[in-house]
Amino acid sequence: MDCKLAMRLLPGAIIFDFDGTLVDSEKITFQLAVPIITRYVGRDFTEEELNSIKGKVWKNAFKKWLPDDHENLYQEIVDNWREVDPVLPLYPEVRKMLNHLHGKGIPMAIASSRERNLISRDLERHSIDGYFETVVGQEDTVRHKPDPDPLLLAADSMDVKKEDCIYIGDQPWDILASKAAGMISGAAIWGEGVLESLSPAGPDFVFRSPDDIAYSLFDGDPYRRDYFGAGT
């Protein structure tokens, strides 16, 4: 077991993705959005097509379907979301994990493709907003994941070196963004994350539950990429 990687994290910080990592949002999001997308585009979508936009800035992702009307489509989805105002549930163990890490004095942040005000509202609803030093949303950077800009902004806002940060997310582009940022990468596979799709991106850590994060990084026995079958 190589504990050096875990040890170097102790003076650093953890940056989390939001949707599909901290909150169980994808099912609710697609239930509200797919009827609108279908109406605009005029056809049904395959599961592969819908999966391709998970964790991405939808306004940009819609360009390939509606080059001239993608902004109107996105705005209608956002307006509908605000009207329905769904409460996004935390994944089990997330609150306990955040409380544990906060108690250890570990700086934490969020870097997400969702709008910052929507993220902040959900954090406040669950009374976990005080755990995070900063929230980076889609409006805060021009480039988005898998580009590293949101992650680098989060690290800079916390005044933490990028190489001392780990970014944890549930999609391959989360891992790619981590690598592009020069950060340690962690794959979350308790929610929307699928081991088979995350494996080619080569995450440094694989976390099967939120408990694994607190235990693996700071209390020993890390769930490393060996979990993919590449090592012991």
Side-chain angles (χ1 to χ4, degrees):
M1 179 193 305
D2 180 7
C3 292
K4 292 181 180 179
L5 187 58
M7 290 300 294
R8 65 180 278 208
L9 287 171
L10 289 174
I14 301 178
I15 307 172
F16 291 96
D17 175 44
F18 187 65
D19 294 283
T21 300
L22 297 181
V23 293
D24 188 1
S25 59
E26 300 293 357
K27 183 177 180 180
I28 297 172
T29 300
F30 279 95
Q31 283 178 340
L32 293 176
V34 168
I36 300 173
I37 297 172
T38 301
R39 173 162 50 81
Y40 266 78
V41 181
R43 66 176 179 86
D44 293 329
F45 288 84
T46 66
E47 183 175 351
E48 182 179 358
E49 286 177 312
L50 293 175
N51 285 336
S52 72
I53 66 173
K54 286 184 178 179
K56 294 185 177 179
V57 175
W58 280 14
K59 186 188 299 183
N60 297 335
F62 291 158
K63 287 181 181 179
K64 63 182 178 181
W65 297 331
L66 290 169
D68 299 323
D69 210 16
H70 60 280
E71 291 191 5
N72 289 332
L73 167 58
Y74 177 76
Q75 190 58 52
E76 185 169 336
I77 290 173
V78 171
D79 291 344
N80 184 52
W81 183 272
R82 287 175 173 153
E83 181 179 349
V84 176
D85 197 24
V87 176
L88 302 178
L90 294 174
Y91 282 111
E93 301 177 0
V94 163
R95 186 185 303 277
K96 181 175 68 172
M97 175 265 294
L98 294 174
N99 185 62
H100 179 76
L101 296 176
H102 181 71
K104 286 182 173 289
I106 306 302
M108 293 183 286
I110 290 173
S112 170
S113 297
R114 185 181 287 273
E115 292 182 341
R116 181 173 9 93
N117 66 320
L118 297 179
I119 298 170
S120 297
R121 183 180 60 184
D122 283 306
L123 295 179
E124 291 171 2
R125 282 174 165 172
H126 291 294
S127 299
I128 58 173
D129 49 306
Y131 290 132
F132 300 99
E133 296 196 11
T134 191
V135 174
V136 176
Q138 66 167 264
E139 64 269 51
D140 294 316
T141 60
V142 175
R143 299 193 306 169
H144 306 283
K145 299 180 292 185
D147 286 305
D149 296 23
L151 284 61
L152 293 173
L153 178 58
D156 185 62
S157 297
M158 292 189 290
D159 196 24
V160 178
K161 294 180 180 179
K162 62 181 184 180
E163 58 267 24
D164 290 331
C165 294
I166 180 170
Y167 183 64
I168 299 173
D170 65 299
Q171 296 297 324
W173 28 93
D174 294 324
I175 307 305
L176 297 176
S178 305
K179 294 180 179 298
M183 297 180 181
I184 300 165
S185 57
I189 61 169
W190 59 77
E192 291 296 318
V194 178
L195 189 62
E196 290 75 16
S197 64
L198 286 161
S199 176
D204 296 304
F205 286 85
V206 178
F207 302 112
R208 292 178 288 186
S209 73
D211 268 352
D212 283 351
I213 296 173
Y215 180 69
S216 299
L217 296 182
F218 303 102
D219 298 323
D221 191 23
Y223 288 87
R224 296 294 306 283
R225 57 185 169 196
D226 297 340
Y227 182 65
F228 290 126
T232 56

